[in-house]
Amino acid sequence: MMLRHRLLTGLSATADGLFATVLAVLNVPVLVLWVASLVLSPVPLLGAELLGVSTTVVRWRTDLERHLGRRAGVRLGRPYHPQPDDAEIGSRRWLRWIITDPATWRDVAWLLPGALVGVILGLVTVAIPAYGLVGTVLLPLWLFLGDVWFGYALFWPTTNFAEAWLALPVGLAILAGGLAVAPLLRATDVRFARLLLAPTRAAELRLRVAHLTTTRADAMDAQAAELRRIERDLHDGAQARMVSVGMTIGLAERLVHRDPSAALKLLAEARAASTAALVDLRHLVRGIHPPVLAERGLEGAVRALALSLPVRTEVTSDLPGRLDTPVESAVYFAVAEALANMARHSRARFAWVTMRHLDGLLSLEVGDDGGGGADATRGTGLSGIVRRLDAFDGTMTVSSPSGGPTVVTMEVPCALSSRRT
């Protein structure tokens, strides 16, 4: 299964490399359009609108590069200043907002070198697997076409049957090597883009403040919603049952001397109701903080969760200690939500969870070999994970091309305590 995962990852990176090469070629006309619109910007009426349109095109292009970066496992944030509320499109204030944003000039500065690096690395990413694929099809061509054949035209100097047999293993080796290095080449291209497209330190601080403001409000809303849920569950479940137990016991007290047999039946009903109330309380406690998490830690809780799934799930963990309780709980429920989405929607036959802690960063990967197509912007499952991790400055990225595999990567900065005994 892991071999299939690596094969699909290599194919996805190769396809992304081809797409990135096409986009890199578009950088040149986009740059020409922006420079021309900047020159014409003083022209009344037309200039401002043209500059706004060209800047939108530039940001569309750089946003595509950031999207490809997320697919390659490199996160590139959007560093732009928020648009002023009173800045109408085409107004002087709106034009000043575009021109004075340093991220605009960094985007433009990236276009030409990004085109050169993107074309070179993109062609290498595609050329190596393509060359290996050509070698693998030479033997079938020879067997079906005989002497009629295109070895030289395909850059494989094959002139006889023995060389055609040799081309098959060589081509497979080159194809496998090309698919293995394709993700590395894509990551190199994106890391170069990160030099100019990623937020600067000042922009990161500004985005950090805005992010903390948003997450604080989300955390308060989530806490209030959780308290309402607990109150509702207690009121509708355990509290209602305990009221029923009290009424039943009171009725039994009145009947104990007159009709002892009826009183015994009522006491039996009260005992059954109290047992049901205890079950409700246990379910409620599991929803707040599962006992298995407190007893066995994150690794043991995730392994227990994996055993309850209908899909065979492999758990690999390298956690030399315990997380703080709030972080541990948030990460557990995030993994549980990701696995629940996988079981409901992916049609997978195999899934895996990997957990490791290195240099103060907890990294988790939840993947499956299902049909792919997962999108964090649709539905509430994956977006709920994002909100849960945001409270601890965590991040989540989703790689889910059509046909699979789906890989959800979560990262949470945290420290580990010593392993509990």
Side-chain angles (χ1 to χ4, degrees):
M1 291 299 179
M2 295 302 294
L3 179 62
R4 181 174 182 268
H5 166 59
R6 292 177 180 175
L7 175 62
L8 292 174
T9 301
L11 290 173
S12 177
T14 303
D16 286 347
L18 179 60
F19 185 50
T21 304
V22 176
L23 290 177
V25 174
L26 293 178
N27 282 15
V28 176
V30 170
L31 177 61
V32 172
L33 173 64
W34 194 87
V35 172
S37 64
L38 182 65
V39 173
L40 296 174
S41 60
V43 177
L45 300 179
L46 175 64
E49 284 77 3
L50 184 60
L51 183 60
V53 170
S54 62
T55 303
T56 302
V57 173
V58 170
R59 292 188 176 183
W60 166 81
R61 171 65 188 93
T62 53
D63 283 341
L64 278 178
E65 192 68 20
R66 294 183 182 97
H67 175 70
L68 289 174
R70 287 192 295 271
R71 289 175 58 86
V74 180
R75 186 177 179 84
L76 297 176
R78 297 186 87 244
Y80 307 114
H81 290 294
Q83 180 177 343
D85 296 333
D86 56 347
E88 298 180 358
I89 297 178
S91 66
R92 287 183 177 272
R93 185 174 176 81
W94 179 76
L95 185 62
R96 190 182 305 114
W97 164 64
I98 291 177
I99 296 297
T100 58
D101 191 344
T104 300
W105 299 95
R106 290 167 62 86
D107 287 352
V108 175
W110 167 81
L111 288 174
L112 186 57
L116 294 175
V117 174
V119 168
I120 294 173
L121 292 179
L123 289 178
V124 174
T125 301
V126 176
I128 297 177
Y131 188 67
L133 182 63
V134 169
T136 61
V137 300
L138 292 186
L139 180 60
L141 285 175
W142 184 279
L143 293 176
F144 283 100
L145 301 179
D147 294 335
V148 182
W149 128 280
F150 310 98
Y152 283 106
L154 296 174
F155 306 104
W156 277 85
T158 306
T159 58
N160 56 60
F161 188 67
E163 292 179 355
W165 273 103
L166 181 62
L168 179 60
V170 174
L172 287 174
I174 295 176
L175 177 60
L179 293 178
V181 301
L184 300 178
L185 293 174
R186 285 296 308 132
T188 301
D189 184 17
V190 176
R191 288 192 179 96
F192 176 79
R194 186 170 59 181
L195 297 177
L196 289 172
L197 299 186
T200 61
R201 189 166 187 82
E204 285 182 346
L205 290 175
R206 173 172 47 81
L207 294 173
R208 174 72 174 149
V209 171
H211 175 74
L212 288 176
T213 302
T214 302
T215 54
R216 183 182 63 179
D218 289 342
M220 293 177 65
D221 292 341
Q223 183 183 24
E226 185 69 9
L227 289 175
R228 288 194 299 270
R229 182 188 70 83
I230 294 173
E231 181 182 5
R232 184 178 62 251
D233 290 347
L234 285 173
H235 181 272
D236 298 340
Q239 180 178 329
R241 293 185 185 277
M242 294 309 296
V243 170
S244 175
V245 169
M247 294 176 62
T248 303
I249 293 177
L251 183 58
E253 288 178 346
R254 290 194 296 269
L255 294 177
V256 67
H257 296 296
R258 252 183 346 188
D259 192 350
S261 60
L264 289 175
K265 291 180 180 180
L266 290 174
L267 290 174
E269 292 177 6
R271 183 176 61 182
S274 65
T275 303
L278 182 60
V279 172
D280 288 343
L281 288 174
R282 286 173 177 169
H283 285 306
L284 183 61
V285 169
R286 290 192 187 99
I288 299 173
H289 190 77
V292 66
L293 184 61
E295 295 170 2
R296 299 167 56 185
L298 181 62
E299 179 179 348
V302 172
R303 291 187 184 277
L305 186 64
L307 292 175
S308 65
L309 295 173
V311 179
R312 185 168 66 89
T313 304
E314 178 182 305
V315 178
T316 305
S317 176
D318 183 17
L319 300 179
R322 291 287 298 267
L323 306 172
D324 290 338
T325 300
V327 179
E328 196 172 58
S329 179
V331 171
Y332 170 79
F333 283 112
V335 173
E337 183 67 33
L339 290 175
N341 287 338
M342 177 272 298
R344 284 197 299 263
H345 306 298
S346 70
R347 302 184 302 277
R349 293 177 296 177
F350 174 75
W352 66 90
V353 180
T354 60
M355 300 180 289
R356 62 182 180 274
H357 187 273
L358 183 65
D359 297 331
L361 184 68
L362 174 66
S363 301
L364 303 101
E365 182 180 283
V366 181
D368 64 75
D369 63 350
D375 188 354
T377 61
R378 297 181 302 181
T380 59
L382 293 176
S383 59
I385 296 176
V386 173
R387 289 194 300 270
R388 190 183 295 274
L389 297 180
D390 272 345
F392 301 93
D393 202 21
T395 60
M396 184 196 74
T397 56
V398 180
S399 174
S400 184
S402 180
T406 296
V407 179
V408 179
T409 304
M410 294 171 273
E411 294 183 342
V412 182
C414 60
L416 291 182
S417 61
S418 59
R419 187 175 293 275
R420 299 175 187 172
T421 57

